[in-house]
Amino acid sequence: MKLVRGRLFDFKNQANPFNLSENARYFEDGVLVIEDGKIFAAGDYSQLIKTLPANLTVEDYSGCFILPGFVDAHVHSVQTKAIASDGGELLDWLQNHIFANERQFENADYAYEHTRFFFHQLLKNGTTTAAIFPSIHPVSTEAVFEIASKLKMCIIAGKTMMDRNAPEYLLESPQKAYDNSKALIEKWHHKGRLHYAVTPRFAVTSSPEAFKMASALLKEFDKLYLQTHISENETEVIMVKGIFPVNHNYLNVYDSFGLLTDRTLLGHGIYLSDEELERIAEVGSAIVHCPSSNLFLGSGLFDFQKVINYQISLAVGSDVGAGTSFSMLSNLSEAYKIAALRKRKLYPFQAIYFATLGGARALSLENEIGNFDAGKAADFVVLDPSKIDLLAYRIQDAETIEETLFALIILGNDRLVKATYVMGEAVYKAGEI
Ligand code: GUN
Ligand code: ZN
């Protein structure tokens, strides 16, 4: 058993997730009690210490915030080097920068080296769980699962499937996509903390035959995820109408092939209609809002409030390389501004919720991660406000935890992350290799 002391903040996992003020838990001088990589207890230091054996090791982060590890629900492990590529809107950006970049992941040495760097970026930003898009190359997915398993991380990933409307070198037949995906599923799905997501990239790059193969995989294996993109860009939406004329809207393309389940993660969803949102609510799929990406590619202003009014599970994704930061704090800051432009209000508790317990719920992982309930994995991030002097100065006289968290979101980034823990072990410490 070991103790980690600091300012603990998380949310109780209640049936109504949006009673956030009631569900929020904050211990100014708190402690996590960790046993065998899991949370044994969490609470007020002076109270809990009385109930514990003496002489336990204490890792003391007094003054720092300790939050559940962040959930990045949509990120491309093969696009780290393509971040900040000036390429216009989505379809041009993919053609001009992304596809050529992803091609390099056919080489195993390249794939492992660059995927290690990608994981380092996740951890130095406090992200402990992610839903990851590698490239179409099986080795790019092998690299993700192998590195994640060494780090004991809870990860969702699956090789991208594409069979049209991309350069020849990134295409494979539906049968080959099926065979390659199946081999990866058999090797990695439900191994430790790893989960497989069938990953047709988006409707533009899949034929009906390829979607049938994706659907066959979902039927064949237990509790597979499906991740994809939807209605991110207006030109994309028009193109999908053209290539799937029998489907009456974008969502219906996925729906008609049986791809919508409560483990389906739909990236973006900016231009979804009321009818589509209603259907997503009905099937229990989740939407992943990717704020910095939507701004960078000029994709549009997502209306998060409308989505939660439909009681659809919502998570947040960095979507690097279109996203401009791996930091979930930076992405939440952009989400706040997008909401403001839509005359909506994203409250700080909501924002932190979407990047922790809410993200975990959207990914059906709330029994494993997302808060400090006893029995959950001890995956958490230590944030040191003194590392950004403007932030420390701003929160000196803050009157409530909401006010402090708001400043943390708006001004925070990877510089705040003092340490990141997975299963109770520090896998990243600022200033150490
Ligand atoms: N739609 C299809 N592929 C991609 C991608 O790689 N990034 C983003 N942002 N949208 C996509
Ligand atoms: Zn994406």
Side-chain angles (χ1 to χ4, degrees), residues 74 76 229 268 319:
H74 183 120
H76 298 256
H229 299 82
H268 302 284
D319 196 26

mmCIF file of all heavy atoms in Angstrom, residues 74 76 229 268 319, ligand 2:
data_model
loop_
_atom_site.group_PDB
_atom_site.id
_atom_site.type_symbol
_atom_site.label_atom_id
_atom_site.label_comp_id
_atom_site.label_asym_id
_atom_site.label_seq_id
_atom_site.Cartn_x
_atom_site.Cartn_y
_atom_site.Cartn_z
ATOM 1 N N HIS A 74 -10.116 10.579 -28.970
ATOM 2 C CA HIS A 74 -9.927 10.532 -30.434
ATOM 3 C C HIS A 74 -8.575 11.157 -30.766
ATOM 4 O O HIS A 74 -8.395 12.374 -30.668
ATOM 5 C CB HIS A 74 -11.064 11.313 -31.115
ATOM 6 C CG HIS A 74 -11.026 11.274 -32.616
ATOM 7 N ND1 HIS A 74 -12.058 10.758 -33.373
ATOM 8 C CD2 HIS A 74 -10.092 11.693 -33.508
ATOM 9 C CE1 HIS A 74 -11.761 10.864 -34.654
ATOM 10 N NE2 HIS A 74 -10.571 11.445 -34.767
ATOM 11 N N HIS A 76 -4.802 10.445 -33.328
ATOM 12 C CA HIS A 76 -4.137 9.654 -34.373
ATOM 13 C C HIS A 76 -2.663 9.463 -34.006
ATOM 14 O O HIS A 76 -1.890 10.426 -34.022
ATOM 15 C CB HIS A 76 -4.250 10.359 -35.723
ATOM 16 C CG HIS A 76 -5.666 10.523 -36.197
ATOM 17 N ND1 HIS A 76 -6.221 9.738 -37.191
ATOM 18 C CD2 HIS A 76 -6.656 11.368 -35.809
ATOM 19 C CE1 HIS A 76 -7.472 10.098 -37.392
ATOM 20 N NE2 HIS A 76 -7.778 11.090 -36.559
ATOM 21 N N HIS A 229 -15.022 8.754 -38.135
ATOM 22 C CA HIS A 229 -15.316 10.192 -38.193
ATOM 23 C C HIS A 229 -16.704 10.374 -38.816
ATOM 24 O O HIS A 229 -17.112 9.567 -39.646
ATOM 25 C CB HIS A 229 -14.310 10.914 -39.077
ATOM 26 C CG HIS A 229 -12.884 10.808 -38.614
ATOM 27 N ND1 HIS A 229 -12.098 9.716 -38.881
ATOM 28 C CD2 HIS A 229 -12.114 11.677 -37.911
ATOM 29 C CE1 HIS A 229 -10.883 9.912 -38.363
ATOM 30 N NE2 HIS A 229 -10.859 11.091 -37.764
ATOM 31 N N HIS A 268 -16.255 14.050 -34.054
ATOM 32 C CA HIS A 268 -16.679 15.355 -34.597
ATOM 33 C C HIS A 268 -18.197 15.577 -34.531
ATOM 34 O O HIS A 268 -18.682 16.194 -33.608
ATOM 35 C CB HIS A 268 -16.126 15.593 -36.009
ATOM 36 C CG HIS A 268 -14.625 15.522 -36.041
ATOM 37 N ND1 HIS A 268 -13.835 16.533 -35.581
ATOM 38 C CD2 HIS A 268 -13.780 14.525 -36.432
ATOM 39 C CE1 HIS A 268 -12.556 16.185 -35.704
ATOM 40 N NE2 HIS A 268 -12.495 14.975 -36.195
ATOM 41 N N ASP A 319 -7.530 14.874 -31.244
ATOM 42 C CA ASP A 319 -7.460 14.701 -32.699
ATOM 43 C C ASP A 319 -6.147 15.198 -33.301
ATOM 44 O O ASP A 319 -6.123 15.693 -34.428
ATOM 45 C CB ASP A 319 -8.668 15.362 -33.390
ATOM 46 C CG ASP A 319 -8.838 14.892 -34.833
ATOM 47 O OD1 ASP A 319 -8.398 13.764 -35.140
ATOM 48 O OD2 ASP A 319 -9.397 15.643 -35.648
HETATM 49 ZN ZN ZN B 2 -9.531 12.215 -36.386
#
